Amino acid sequence: MVDRLRSAAEQLEAPTCPDCHIEMRWFRSELLADEPVPIIAHLFVCPHCKRTAQTDTLFQGTQRSPDKLSAPRFMAYAA
């Protein structure tokens, strides 16, 4: 998940404040959802009027079926 957060942060474009018309500054990013589709929210704040904005990054499903299924080696049976 850290790799996804880094790649999302690299591609961010800061929004423009609708009141001040200046570029907002990144404040933080957080994971909103992990399943079924990962969503990362990026929060921005205007340095002048302190207005906030949020942009979301959605990731395509990268989950694939495992090559081998795991099973316990020993099974304990209650008598």
Side-chain angles (χ1 to χ4, degrees):
M1 186 48 58
V2 174
D3 292 335
R4 287 182 182 171
L5 182 60
R6 282 186 188 144
S7 68
E10 290 172 357
Q11 300 171 6
L12 278 181
E13 289 187 29
T16 302
C17 178
D19 293 334
C20 303
H21 306 289
I22 60 174
E23 187 175 287
M24 300 176 103
R25 291 188 184 152
W26 175 86
F27 177 65
R28 74 175 186 205
S29 297
E30 59 186 42
L31 180 65
L32 292 181
D34 195 24
E35 296 293 332
V37 177
I39 302 171
I40 297 177
H42 307 282
L43 305 172
F44 294 86
V45 66
C46 176
H48 183 259
C49 70
K50 306 303 181 207
R51 183 181 184 126
T52 60
Q54 176 178 326
T55 60
D56 295 339
T57 301
L58 300 171
F59 292 93
Q60 294 180 0
T62 58
Q63 197 173 27
R64 61 182 185 100
S65 60
D67 295 334
K68 290 185 177 182
L69 297 176
S70 61
R73 286 187 177 203
F74 303 104
M75 295 181 68
Y77 294 102

